[in-house]
Amino acid sequence: MRFGYARVSTQEQDTQAQIAALTAAGCERIFEETASGGRWERPELQRLLAQLRPGDAVVVWKLDRLSRSLKDLLVLLERIDHAQASFHSLTEAIETATPAGRMLMQMVGAFAEFERALLRERTQAGLEAARREGRIGGRRPKLTRLQQQEIVALVTSGQKSGAAAARLFQVDPSMVTRLVAKARGAR
């Protein structure tokens, strides 16, 4: 069975041109949706994917009707392939039922993987540069080293309970527990 999927992003747009193209392409059932292509919460797309059987085909007017993100597009294409169905984009003339279409989708996947690797590499380089400059990632400590020492002294001397020290310094009691445990382990 050939399933069509037509999507627009806003209520002001309509799917008539997409539906006409999908009907002309022989789609027997068309799922129509108004939702952003960057969202995963698309009930009609999920219904379409749930109905796929081996030998079925998912047809869209353009690739960006299925997804705006290349990563998400590849995930959706993998789900279609897992159902042993094929994918066909009318405008880009991509059809995964043919060897050339599968090769093209693999090339798109290879470029996406390359892009992710470059992003990971740039992120690592940025983190290393920040470390060399003395900056470390993560959240700034809520307490100074002096405040931490004061909490430990108050609790270990018995002047304050852990809960009272937490209220005094406006921190979670679990932080006081960790500080005291760390100080006792260091002795």
Side-chain angles (χ1 to χ4, degrees):
M1 185 165 196
R2 289 176 69 85
F3 294 105
Y5 180 70
R7 181 189 63 78
V8 291
S9 299
T10 65
Q11 296 291 342
E12 293 78 37
Q13 300 170 322
D14 75 16
T15 56
Q16 292 310 317
Q18 293 178 53
I19 291 173
L22 294 170
T23 303
C27 291
E28 301 161 56
R29 178 137 187 236
I30 297 174
F31 292 82
E32 193 176 349
E33 195 146 49
T34 301
S36 169
R39 291 181 38 212
W40 273 102
E41 302 85 37
R42 292 186 273 161
E44 291 300 307
L45 177 60
Q46 296 308 320
R47 280 184 44 216
L48 183 156
L49 294 172
Q51 292 183 22
L52 287 178
R53 303 290 174 255
D56 286 347
V58 176
V59 183
V60 294
W61 180 56
K62 287 182 79 167
L63 276 176
D64 70 352
R65 297 299 87 201
L66 192 58
S67 177
R68 292 265 169 101
S69 156
L70 183 57
K71 178 184 166 204
D72 294 344
L73 176 65
L74 292 173
V75 169
L76 289 168
L77 291 174
E78 190 174 305
R79 283 186 63 187
I80 293 168
D81 186 54
H82 184 71
Q84 298 177 351
S86 63
F87 171 76
H88 185 177
S89 172
L90 300 174
T91 306
E92 291 87 2
I94 296 173
E95 188 167 0
T96 61
T98 67
R102 282 192 300 276
M103 181 190 70
L104 184 58
M105 287 315 300
Q106 288 173 355
M107 287 172 40
V108 168
F111 281 114
E113 190 174 321
F114 176 67
E115 181 182 356
R116 283 192 300 273
L118 286 178
L119 178 62
R120 198 171 26 253
E121 199 174 273
R122 286 192 301 266
T123 301
Q124 288 299 330
L127 289 171
E128 287 174 25
R131 281 189 209 104
R132 282 193 300 273
E133 294 172 8
R135 293 179 289 150
I136 56 171
R139 181 191 235 168
R140 294 187 190 275
K142 190 161 187 171
L143 301 171
T144 65
R145 193 169 302 283
L146 183 62
Q147 289 172 319
Q148 291 176 15
Q149 291 168 350
E150 192 174 343
I151 287 175
V152 170
L154 287 170
V155 174
T156 55
S157 69
Q159 291 177 303
K160 297 266 185 205
S161 69
R167 280 191 302 276
L168 180 64
F169 286 88
Q170 298 177 345
V171 294
D172 194 87
S174 63
M175 179 182 276
V176 173
T177 304
R178 281 192 305 274
L179 290 171
V180 172
K182 184 178 173 185
R184 287 185 178 150
R187 290 184 192 166

